[in-house]
Each structure stands twice: as C-alpha cells, then as structure tokens.
Coordinates of all heavy atoms in Angstrom, one line a residue:
Y736 N 123.0 59.0 68.4 CA 123.2 60.4 68.3 C 121.9 61.1 67.9 O 121.4 60.7 66.9 CB 124.4 60.8 67.4 CG 124.6 62.2 67.1 CD1 125.2 63.0 68.1 CD2 124.3 62.8 65.9 CE1 125.4 64.3 67.9 CE2 124.5 64.1 65.7 CZ 125.0 64.9 66.7 OH 125.3 66.2 66.5
S737 N 121.4 62.0 68.7 CA 120.2 62.7 68.3 C 120.4 64.2 68.4 O 121.1 64.7 69.2 CB 119.1 62.3 69.3 OG 118.7 61.0 69.2
E738 N 119.7 64.9 67.5 CA 119.6 66.3 67.5 C 118.2 66.8 67.9 O 117.3 66.2 67.5 CB 120.0 66.9 66.1 CG 121.4 66.6 65.7 CD 121.7 67.2 64.4 OE1 120.8 67.6 63.7 OE2 122.9 67.3 64.0
G739 N 118.2 67.8 68.7 CA 116.9 68.3 69.2 C 117.0 69.3 70.2 O 118.0 69.9 70.4
I740 N 115.9 69.6 70.9 CA 115.8 70.6 71.9 C 116.0 69.9 73.3 O 115.3 68.9 73.6 CB 114.4 71.3 71.9 CG1 114.3 72.0 70.5 CG2 114.3 72.3 73.0 CD1 112.9 72.5 70.3
E741 N 116.9 70.4 74.1 CA 117.1 69.8 75.4 C 116.8 70.8 76.5 O 117.1 72.0 76.4 CB 118.6 69.4 75.5 CG 118.8 68.7 76.9 CD 120.2 68.2 77.0 OE1 121.1 68.7 76.2 OE2 120.5 67.4 77.9
A742 N 116.1 70.4 77.5 CA 115.8 71.2 78.7 C 116.5 70.5 79.9 O 116.4 69.3 80.1 CB 114.3 71.3 78.9
S743 N 117.0 71.3 80.8 CA 117.7 70.8 82.0 C 117.2 71.6 83.2 O 116.9 72.8 83.2 CB 119.2 71.0 81.9 OG 119.7 70.2 80.9
L744 N 117.1 70.9 84.3 CA 116.7 71.4 85.6 C 117.6 70.9 86.7 O 117.8 69.7 86.8 CB 115.2 71.1 85.9 CG 114.7 71.5 87.3 CD1 114.5 73.0 87.3 CD2 113.4 70.8 87.6
V745 N 118.2 71.8 87.4 CA 119.1 71.5 88.5 C 118.7 72.2 89.8 O 118.4 73.4 89.8 CB 120.6 71.9 88.1 CG1 121.5 71.6 89.3 CG2 121.0 71.2 86.8
G746 N 118.6 71.4 90.9 CA 118.2 72.0 92.1 C 119.0 71.4 93.3 O 119.5 70.3 93.2
D747 N 119.1 72.2 94.3 CA 119.8 71.7 95.6 C 119.1 72.3 96.8 O 118.9 73.5 96.8 CB 121.3 72.1 95.5 CG 122.1 71.4 96.5 OD1 121.8 70.3 96.9 OD2 123.1 72.0 97.0
L748 N 118.8 71.5 97.7 CA 118.1 72.0 98.9 C 118.7 71.4 100.2 O 118.8 70.1 100.2 CB 116.6 71.6 98.8 CG 115.7 71.9 99.9 CD1 115.5 73.4 100.1 CD2 114.3 71.3 99.7
Q749 N 119.0 72.2 101.1 CA 119.5 71.7 102.4 C 118.3 71.6 103.3 O 117.7 72.7 103.7 CB 120.6 72.5 103.0 CG 121.1 72.0 104.2 CD 122.4 72.6 104.7 OE1 122.9 73.5 104.0 NE2 123.0 72.2 105.8
I750 N 117.8 70.4 103.7 CA 116.6 70.3 104.4 C 116.9 70.5 105.9 O 116.1 71.2 106.6 CB 116.0 68.9 104.2 CG1 115.7 68.7 102.7 CG2 114.8 68.6 105.1 CD1 115.3 67.3 102.3
M751 N 117.9 69.9 106.4 CA 118.3 70.1 107.8 C 119.8 70.3 107.8 O 120.4 70.3 106.7 CB 118.0 68.9 108.7 CG 116.5 68.7 108.8 SD 116.0 67.4 110.0 CE 116.6 65.9 109.1
N752 N 120.5 70.5 109.0 CA 121.9 70.7 109.0 C 122.7 69.5 108.4 O 123.7 69.7 107.8 CB 122.4 70.9 110.4 CG 122.0 72.3 110.9 OD1 121.7 73.2 110.2 ND2 122.0 72.4 112.2
N753 N 122.1 68.3 108.5 CA 122.9 67.1 108.0 C 122.2 66.4 106.9 O 122.6 65.3 106.5 CB 123.1 66.1 109.2 CG 121.8 65.6 109.8 OD1 120.7 66.2 109.5 ND2 121.9 64.6 110.5
L754 N 121.1 66.9 106.3 CA 120.4 66.3 105.2 C 120.3 67.2 104.0 O 119.8 68.4 104.2 CB 119.0 65.9 105.6 CG 118.2 65.1 104.6 CD1 118.9 63.8 104.1 CD2 116.8 64.8 105.1
N755 N 120.8 66.8 102.9 CA 120.8 67.6 101.6 C 120.1 66.8 100.5 O 120.2 65.6 100.4 CB 122.2 67.9 101.2 CG 122.3 68.9 100.2 OD1 121.6 69.9 100.2 ND2 123.2 68.7 99.2
Y756 N 119.3 67.5 99.7 CA 118.6 66.9 98.6 C 119.0 67.6 97.3 O 119.1 68.9 97.3 CB 117.1 67.0 98.7 CG 116.3 66.6 97.5 CD1 116.2 65.3 97.1 CD2 115.7 67.6 96.7 CE1 115.5 65.0 95.9 CE2 115.0 67.3 95.6 CZ 114.9 66.0 95.2 OH 114.2 65.6 94.1
S757 N 119.4 66.9 96.3 CA 119.7 67.5 95.0 C 119.0 66.8 93.9 O 118.8 65.6 93.9 CB 121.2 67.6 94.8 OG 121.8 66.3 94.7
L758 N 118.7 67.5 92.8 CA 117.9 67.0 91.7 C 118.6 67.5 90.4 O 119.0 68.6 90.3 CB 116.5 67.6 91.7 CG 115.7 67.5 90.5 CD1 115.2 66.0 90.3 CD2 114.5 68.4 90.5
T759 N 118.7 66.6 89.5 CA 119.2 66.9 88.1 C 118.2 66.2 87.1 O 118.0 65.0 87.2 CB 120.6 66.4 87.9 OG1 121.5 66.9 88.9 CG2 121.1 66.8 86.5
A760 N 117.6 67.0 86.3 CA 116.6 66.4 85.3 C 117.0 66.9 83.9 O 117.2 68.1 83.7 CB 115.2 66.8 85.7
D761 N 117.0 66.0 82.9 CA 117.3 66.4 81.5 C 116.2 65.8 80.6 O 115.8 64.6 80.8 CB 118.6 65.9 81.1 CG 119.8 66.5 81.9 OD1 119.8 67.7 82.0 OD2 120.6 65.7 82.4
V762 N 115.7 66.5 79.7 CA 114.7 66.0 78.7 C 115.2 66.4 77.3 O 115.5 67.6 77.1 CB 113.3 66.6 79.0 CG1 112.3 66.0 78.0 CG2 112.8 66.3 80.4
L763 N 115.2 65.5 76.4 CA 115.5 65.7 75.0 C 114.4 65.4 74.1 O 113.8 64.3 74.1 CB 116.7 64.9 74.6 CG 117.2 65.0 73.2 CD1 117.7 66.3 72.8 CD2 118.2 63.9 72.8
F764 N 114.0 66.4 73.3 CA 112.9 66.3 72.3 C 113.6 66.3 70.9 O 114.1 67.4 70.5 CB 111.9 67.4 72.4 CG 111.2 67.5 73.7 CD1 111.6 68.3 74.7 CD2 110.1 66.7 73.9 CE1 110.9 68.3 75.9 CE2 109.4 66.7 75.1 CZ 109.8 67.5 76.1
P765 N 113.7 65.1 70.3 CA 114.4 65.1 68.9 C 113.6 65.9 67.9 O 112.4 65.9 67.9 CB 114.5 63.6 68.6 CG 114.1 62.9 69.8 CD 113.3 63.8 70.7
F766 N 114.4 66.5 67.0 CA 113.7 67.2 65.9 C 112.9 66.4 65.0 O 111.8 66.8 64.5 CB 114.8 68.0 65.0 CG 115.4 69.1 65.7 CD1 116.8 69.3 65.7 CD2 114.6 70.1 66.4 CE1 117.4 70.4 66.3 CE2 115.2 71.1 67.0 CZ 116.6 71.3 67.0
D767 N 113.3 65.1 64.7 CA 112.6 64.3 63.8 C 111.3 63.7 64.4 O 110.4 63.4 63.6 CB 113.5 63.1 63.3 CG 114.1 62.3 64.4 OD1 113.9 62.7 65.6 OD2 114.7 61.3 64.1
D768 N 111.2 63.6 65.7 CA 110.0 63.0 66.3 C 109.8 63.6 67.7 O 110.4 63.1 68.7 CB 110.0 61.5 66.3 CG 108.7 60.9 66.8 OD1 107.7 61.6 67.0 OD2 108.7 59.7 67.1
L769 N 109.1 64.7 67.8 CA 109.0 65.4 69.1 C 108.3 64.6 70.2 O 108.5 64.8 71.4 CB 108.3 66.7 69.0 CG 109.1 67.8 68.2 CD1 108.3 69.1 68.1 CD2 110.4 68.1 69.0
E770 N 107.4 63.6 69.8 CA 106.7 62.8 70.7 C 107.6 61.7 71.3 O 107.3 61.1 72.3 CB 105.5 62.2 70.1 CG 104.4 63.3 69.8 CD 103.2 62.7 69.2 OE1 103.0 61.4 69.2 OE2 102.3 63.4 68.7
N771 N 108.7 61.4 70.7 CA 109.6 60.3 71.1 C 110.7 61.0 71.9 O 111.9 60.9 71.5 CB 110.2 59.6 69.9 CG 110.9 58.3 70.3 OD1 110.7 57.8 71.5 ND2 111.7 57.8 69.4
Y772 N 110.4 61.5 73.1 CA 111.4 62.2 73.9 C 112.2 61.2 74.8 O 111.7 60.1 75.0 CB 110.7 63.3 74.8 CG 109.8 62.7 75.8 CD1 110.3 62.4 77.1 CD2 108.5 62.5 75.5 CE1 109.4 61.9 78.0 CE2 107.6 62.0 76.5 CZ 108.1 61.7 77.7 OH 107.3 61.2 78.7
S773 N 113.3 61.7 75.3 CA 114.0 60.9 76.3 C 114.2 61.7 77.5 O 114.4 62.9 77.5 CB 115.4 60.4 75.8 OG 116.2 61.5 75.5
M774 N 114.1 61.1 78.7 CA 114.1 61.8 80.0 C 115.1 61.1 80.9 O 115.2 59.8 80.9 CB 112.7 61.8 80.6 CG 112.5 62.5 81.9 SD 112.7 61.5 83.4 CE 111.5 60.2 83.1
D775 N 115.8 61.9 81.7 CA 116.7 61.3 82.7 C 116.7 62.2 83.9 O 116.9 63.4 83.8 CB 118.1 61.3 82.1 CG 119.2 60.7 82.9 OD1 118.8 60.0 83.9 OD2 120.4 60.8 82.6
M776 N 116.3 61.6 85.1 CA 116.2 62.4 86.3 C 116.9 61.7 87.4 O 116.6 60.5 87.7 CB 114.7 62.7 86.6 CG 114.5 63.5 87.8 SD 112.8 64.0 88.1 CE 112.0 62.5 88.5
E777 N 117.7 62.4 88.1 CA 118.5 61.8 89.3 C 118.2 62.6 90.5 O 118.3 63.8 90.5 CB 120.0 61.8 89.0 CG 120.8 61.1 90.0 CD 122.2 61.0 89.7 OE1 122.8 62.0 89.3 OE2 122.8 59.9 89.9
N778 N 117.8 61.9 91.6 CA 117.5 62.5 92.9 C 118.6 61.9 93.9 O 118.8 60.7 93.9 CB 116.1 62.1 93.4 CG 115.0 62.5 92.5 OD1 114.7 63.7 92.5 ND2 114.5 61.7 91.6
I779 N 119.2 62.8 94.6 CA 120.2 62.3 95.6 C 119.9 62.9 97.0 O 119.7 64.1 97.1 CB 121.6 62.8 95.2 CG1 122.0 62.3 93.8 CG2 122.6 62.4 96.2 CD1 123.2 62.9 93.2
F780 N 119.8 62.0 97.9 CA 119.6 62.4 99.3 C 121.0 62.1 100.0 O 121.4 61.0 100.0 CB 118.5 61.6 100.0 CG 117.2 62.0 99.5 CD1 116.6 61.3 98.5 CD2 116.4 63.0 100.1 CE1 115.3 61.6 98.0 CE2 115.2 63.3 99.6 CZ 114.6 62.6 98.6
N781 N 121.6 63.1 100.6 CA 122.8 63.0 101.3 C 122.7 63.2 102.8 O 122.3 64.3 103.2 CB 123.9 63.9 100.7 CG 125.2 63.8 101.4 OD1 125.4 64.5 102.4 ND2 126.1 63.0 100.9
L782 N 122.9 62.2 103.6 CA 122.8 62.3 105.1 C 124.2 62.3 105.7 O 124.9 61.3 105.5 CB 122.0 61.2 105.6 CG 121.8 61.2 107.1 CD1 121.0 62.4 107.6 CD2 121.0 59.9 107.5
K783 N 124.6 63.4 106.3 CA 125.9 63.4 106.9 C 125.9 62.8 108.3 O 125.1 63.2 109.1 CB 126.4 64.9 107.0 CG 127.8 65.1 107.5 CD 128.2 66.5 107.4 CE 129.7 66.7 107.9 NZ 130.1 68.0 107.8
L784 N 126.7 61.7 108.4 CA 126.7 60.9 109.7 C 127.7 61.4 110.6 O 127.4 61.6 111.8 CB 126.9 59.4 109.4 CG 125.9 58.8 108.4 CD1 126.3 57.4 108.1 CD2 124.5 58.8 109.0
L785 N 128.9 61.6 110.2 CA 130.0 62.1 110.9 C 130.7 63.2 110.1 O 130.3 63.5 109.0 CB 131.0 61.0 111.3 CG 130.4 59.9 112.2 CD1 131.4 58.7 112.4 CD2 130.0 60.4 113.6
K786 N 131.8 63.7 110.6 CA 132.5 64.8 109.9 C 133.0 64.4 108.5 O 132.8 65.2 107.6 CB 133.7 65.2 110.7 CG 134.5 66.4 110.2 CD 135.6 66.9 111.1 CE 136.2 68.1 110.5 NZ 137.3 68.6 111.4
Y787 N 133.5 63.2 108.3 CA 134.0 62.8 107.0 C 133.2 61.6 106.4 O 133.5 61.1 105.4 CB 135.5 62.3 107.1 CG 136.4 63.4 107.7 CD1 137.0 63.2 108.9 CD2 136.6 64.5 106.9 CE1 137.8 64.2 109.4 CE2 137.5 65.5 107.4 CZ 138.1 65.3 108.7 OH 138.9 66.3 109.1
I788 N 132.1 61.2 107.0 CA 131.3 60.1 106.6 C 129.9 60.5 106.3 O 129.2 61.1 107.1 CB 131.3 58.9 107.6 CG1 132.8 58.5 107.9 CG2 130.5 57.8 107.1 CD1 132.9 57.5 109.0
S789 N 129.4 60.1 105.1 CA 128.0 60.4 104.8 C 127.4 59.3 104.1 O 128.0 58.4 103.6 CB 127.9 61.7 104.0 OG 128.5 61.5 102.7
L790 N 126.0 59.3 104.0 CA 125.3 58.2 103.4 C 124.5 58.9 102.2 O 123.8 59.8 102.4 CB 124.3 57.6 104.4 CG 123.6 56.3 104.1 CD1 124.7 55.2 103.9 CD2 122.7 55.9 105.2
D791 N 124.7 58.3 101.0 CA 124.1 58.8 99.8 C 123.1 57.8 99.3 O 123.4 56.7 99.1 CB 125.1 59.1 98.6 CG 125.8 60.4 98.8 OD1 125.7 61.0 99.8 OD2 126.6 60.7 97.9
Y792 N 121.8 58.3 99.1 CA 120.8 57.4 98.5 C 120.4 58.1 97.2 O 120.0 59.3 97.2 CB 119.6 57.3 99.4 CG 118.4 56.6 98.8 CD1 118.5 55.3 98.4 CD2 117.2 57.3 98.5 CE1 117.4 54.6 97.8 CE2 116.2 56.6 97.9 CZ 116.3 55.3 97.6 OH 115.2 54.7 97.0
R793 N 120.6 57.4 96.1 CA 120.3 57.9 94.8 C 119.2 57.1 94.1 O 119.3 55.9 94.1 CB 121.6 57.9 93.9 CG 122.7 58.7 94.4 CD 123.9 58.6 93.5 NE 125.0 59.4 94.2 CZ 126.0 59.8 93.5 NH1 126.1 59.7 92.2 NH2 126.9 60.5 94.1
I794 N 118.3 57.8 93.5 CA 117.2 57.2 92.8 C 117.2 57.9 91.4 O 117.1 59.1 91.4 CB 115.9 57.1 93.5 CG1 114.9 56.4 92.6 CG2 115.4 58.5 93.8 CD1 113.6 56.0 93.4
K795 N 117.3 57.1 90.4 CA 117.4 57.7 89.0 C 116.2 57.1 88.2 O 115.9 55.9 88.2 CB 118.7 57.2 88.4 CG 118.9 57.8 87.0 CD 120.3 57.4 86.5 CE 120.6 58.1 85.2 NZ 121.9 57.8 84.7
F796 N 115.5 58.0 87.5 CA 114.4 57.7 86.6 C 114.8 58.0 85.2 O 115.4 59.1 85.0 CB 113.1 58.5 87.0 CG 112.6 58.2 88.3 CD1 112.8 59.1 89.4 CD2 111.8 57.1 88.6 CE1 112.3 58.9 90.6 CE2 111.3 56.8 89.8 CZ 111.6 57.7 90.9
F797 N 114.5 57.1 84.3 CA 114.9 57.4 82.9 C 113.9 56.7 82.0 O 113.3 55.6 82.3 CB 116.4 56.9 82.6 CG 116.7 55.5 83.1 CD1 116.6 54.4 82.3 CD2 117.1 55.4 84.4 CE1 116.9 53.2 82.8 CE2 117.5 54.1 84.9 CZ 117.3 53.0 84.0
S798 N 113.7 57.3 80.8 CA 112.8 56.7 79.9 C 113.5 55.7 79.0 O 114.6 55.9 78.6 CB 112.2 57.8 79.0 OG 113.1 58.5 78.3
R799 N 112.8 54.6 78.7 CA 113.3 53.6 77.8 C 112.2 53.1 76.9 O 111.1 53.3 77.1 CB 113.8 52.4 78.6 CG 115.0 52.7 79.4 CD 116.2 52.9 78.5 NE 117.4 53.3 79.2 CZ 117.9 54.5 79.3 NH1 117.3 55.5 78.7 NH2 119.0 54.7 80.0
E800 N 112.7 52.4 75.8 CA 111.7 51.9 74.8 C 111.9 50.4 74.8 O 113.0 49.8 74.7 CB 112.1 52.4 73.4 CG 111.0 52.2 72.4 CD 111.3 52.9 71.1 OE1 111.1 54.2 71.1 OE2 111.8 52.3 70.2
S801 N 110.7 49.7 74.9 CA 110.8 48.2 75.0 C 110.8 47.7 73.5 O 110.7 48.4 72.6 CB 109.5 47.7 75.7 OG 108.4 48.0 75.0
E802 N 110.9 46.3 73.4 CA 110.9 45.7 72.1 C 109.6 46.0 71.3 O 109.6 46.0 70.1 CB 111.2 44.2 72.2 CG 112.5 43.9 72.8 CD 112.7 42.4 73.0 OE1 111.9 41.6 72.6 OE2 113.8 42.0 73.6
G803 N 108.5 46.1 72.0 CA 107.2 46.4 71.4 C 107.0 47.8 71.0 O 105.9 48.3 70.7
K804 N 108.1 48.6 71.1 CA 108.1 50.1 70.8 C 107.2 50.8 71.8 O 106.6 51.9 71.5 CB 107.6 50.3 69.4 CG 108.5 49.7 68.3 CD 109.9 50.4 68.4 CE 110.8 49.9 67.3 NZ 112.1 50.4 67.3
L805 N 107.0 50.3 73.0 CA 106.2 51.1 74.0 C 107.2 51.8 75.0 O 108.2 51.2 75.4 CB 105.3 50.1 74.8 CG 104.2 49.4 74.0 CD1 103.5 48.4 74.9 CD2 103.3 50.4 73.5
D806 N 107.0 53.0 75.2 CA 107.8 53.7 76.1 C 107.4 53.4 77.6 O 106.3 53.2 77.9 CB 107.6 55.3 75.9 CG 108.2 55.7 74.6 OD1 109.0 55.0 74.1 OD2 107.8 56.8 74.1
Y807 N 108.4 53.4 78.4 CA 108.2 53.2 79.9 C 109.3 53.9 80.6 O 110.3 54.3 80.1 CB 108.1 51.7 80.2 CG 109.4 51.0 80.1 CD1 110.3 50.8 81.2 CD2 109.8 50.4 78.9 CE1 111.5 50.1 81.0 CE2 111.0 49.7 78.7 CZ 111.8 49.6 79.8 OH 113.0 48.9 79.7
I808 N 109.0 54.1 81.9 CA 110.0 54.8 82.8 C 110.6 53.7 83.7 O 109.9 53.1 84.4 CB 109.4 56.0 83.5 CG1 108.9 57.0 82.5 CG2 110.4 56.5 84.5 CD1 108.3 58.2 83.2
A809 N 111.9 53.6 83.7 CA 112.6 52.7 84.6 C 113.2 53.5 85.7 O 113.4 54.7 85.6 CB 113.7 51.9 83.8
N810 N 113.6 52.7 86.7 CA 114.3 53.4 87.8 C 115.5 52.5 88.3 O 115.5 51.3 88.1 CB 113.4 53.8 89.0 CG 112.9 52.6 89.7 OD1 113.7 51.7 90.1 ND2 111.6 52.5 90.0
Q811 N 116.4 53.2 88.9 CA 117.6 52.6 89.4 C 117.9 53.2 90.8 O 118.0 54.4 90.9 CB 118.8 52.8 88.5 CG 120.1 52.2 89.0 CD 121.2 52.5 88.0 OE1 121.2 53.4 87.2 NE2 122.3 51.7 88.0
Q812 N 118.1 52.4 91.8 CA 118.3 52.9 93.2 C 119.7 52.4 93.7 O 120.0 51.2 93.5 CB 117.2 52.4 94.1 CG 115.8 52.9 93.7 CD 114.8 52.4 94.7 OE1 115.0 52.4 95.9 NE2 113.7 51.9 94.1
T813 N 120.4 53.3 94.3 CA 121.7 52.9 94.8 C 121.9 53.6 96.2 O 121.4 54.6 96.4 CB 122.9 53.3 93.9 OG1 122.8 54.6 93.6 CG2 122.9 52.4 92.6
L814 N 122.7 52.9 97.0 CA 123.0 53.4 98.3 C 124.5 53.4 98.5 O 125.2 52.4 98.3 CB 122.3 52.6 99.4 CG 122.5 53.0 100.9 CD1 121.8 54.4 101.1 CD2 121.9 52.0 101.8
F815 N 125.1 54.5 98.9 CA 126.6 54.6 99.0 C 126.9 55.1 100.4 O 126.2 55.9 101.0 CB 127.1 55.7 98.1 CG 126.9 55.4 96.6 CD1 125.9 56.0 95.9 CD2 127.8 54.6 95.9 CE1 125.7 55.8 94.6 CE2 127.6 54.4 94.6 CZ 126.6 54.9 93.9
L816 N 128.0 54.5 101.0 CA 128.6 55.0 102.2 C 129.8 55.8 101.7 O 130.8 55.2 101.1 CB 129.0 53.9 103.1 CG 129.6 54.3 104.4 CD1 128.6 55.2 105.2 CD2 130.0 53.1 105.2
R817 N 129.9 57.1 101.9 CA 130.9 57.9 101.3 C 131.8 58.4 102.4 O 131.4 59.0 103.5 CB 130.2 59.1 100.6 CG 131.2 60.2 100.2 CD 130.5 61.2 99.4 NE 130.6 60.9 98.0 CZ 129.9 61.5 97.1 NH1 129.1 62.5 97.4 NH2 130.0 61.1 95.8
F818 N 133.1 58.3 102.1 CA 134.2 58.8 103.0 C 134.8 60.0 102.2 O 135.3 59.8 101.1 CB 135.3 57.8 103.3 CG 134.7 56.6 104.1 CD1 134.3 55.5 103.4 CD2 134.7 56.7 105.4 CE1 133.8 54.4 104.1 CE2 134.2 55.6 106.2 CZ 133.8 54.5 105.5
T819 N 134.8 61.2 102.8 CA 135.3 62.4 102.2 C 136.3 63.1 103.1 O 136.0 63.5 104.2 CB 134.2 63.4 101.8 OG1 133.2 62.7 101.1 CG2 134.7 64.5 101.0
Y820 N 137.5 63.3 102.5 CA 138.5 64.0 103.3 C 139.2 64.9 102.3 O 139.7 64.5 101.2 CB 139.5 63.1 104.0 CG 140.5 63.8 104.8 CD1 140.2 64.4 106.0 CD2 141.8 64.0 104.3 CE1 141.2 65.1 106.7 CE2 142.8 64.7 105.0 CZ 142.4 65.2 106.2 OH 143.3 65.9 107.0
I821 N 139.3 66.2 102.5 CA 139.9 67.2 101.6 C 141.3 67.5 102.2 O 141.4 68.0 103.3 CB 139.0 68.4 101.5 CG1 137.7 68.1 100.9 CG2 139.7 69.5 100.6 CD1 136.7 69.2 100.9
L822 N 142.3 67.3 101.3 CA 143.7 67.6 101.7 C 143.9 69.1 101.5 O 143.5 69.7 100.5 CB 144.6 66.8 100.9 CG 144.6 65.3 101.0 CD1 145.5 64.6 100.1 CD2 145.0 64.9 102.5
R823 N 144.5 69.7 102.5 CA 144.8 71.2 102.4 C 146.2 71.5 102.5 O 147.0 70.9 103.1 CB 144.0 72.0 103.4 CG 142.5 71.9 103.2 CD 141.8 72.6 104.3 NE 140.4 72.2 104.2 CZ 139.4 73.0 104.1 NH1 139.6 74.3 104.0 NH2 138.2 72.6 104.1

C-alpha cells in the first residue's frame, strides 16, 4: 500500500475502419520517496476480422525492482482471439 501522487493517461484512436489502438498509462510517485516511482502502461491493438471476431494484441510495460534494488522496465505481450456478441 502506497500513498502518493498518481497521474493517468487514457487514449483511444481508430486508425482504420477495422483497426483500433488504445492506451492506458498510470504513474505513482510515493510521498516518502518521489524518485522511487511505479509505472504501468498498457497498449492494445484491436483488429476486427469479421462482424463478431477480432484479434487483440496487448503489450504491457511496467516498472519493477530487482533484488539488487535496481529499477527496470518489464514487458508482457499477449494475443487474444475475441468473439463478441451482444444480446439485445
């Protein structure tokens, strides 16, 4: 649990009719040590293949601290095949 100043950035951009990009970024600067910040950023590319089927590529960047107390930025990449149907 940390207390501090948090900044968030959210964006969404439709590149083409079937390609969408969205961004969510959060940064936390703790009150006790402003230089020891934590960062979390998620980028999502959504490609609509058919009416109810799309492909999501997500890449997430986040700050971590190693055992030697050195900060580094890690990433995590995932690929989803998404089926979406809205009942009306």
Side-chain angles (χ1 to χ4, degrees):
Y736 177 72
S737 291
E738 293 181 348
I740 300 169
E741 183 177 19
S743 295
L744 175 70
V745 177
D747 194 31
L748 176 66
Q749 186 167 356
I750 299 171
M751 294 185 293
N752 286 340
N753 61 345
L754 182 61
N755 191 44
Y756 170 72
S757 61
L758 165 76
T759 304
D761 298 309
V762 180
L763 174 67
F764 297 97
F766 287 134
D767 54 353
D768 185 10
L769 289 177
E770 292 182 9
N771 191 16
Y772 66 92
S773 65
M774 182 266 308
D775 187 12
M776 183 172 68
E777 184 176 46
N778 300 280
I779 301 172
F780 292 92
N781 177 274
L782 178 64
K783 188 173 182 179
L784 302 174
L785 298 171
K786 185 174 182 179
Y787 302 113
I788 300 173
S789 65
L790 197 60
D791 280 5
Y792 174 65
R793 297 179 185 204
I794 183 164
K795 184 175 184 177
F796 297 100
F797 48 94
S798 62
R799 291 293 177 256
E800 193 173 280
S801 66
E802 294 176 9
K804 300 291 183 188
L805 296 174
D806 291 338
Y807 66 96
I808 295 179
N810 70 47
Q811 178 183 22
Q812 299 179 43
T813 52
L814 185 65
F815 298 96
L816 182 62
R817 171 177 266 170
F818 297 93
T819 307
Y820 183 77
I821 299 173
L822 296 174
R823 294 178 194 238

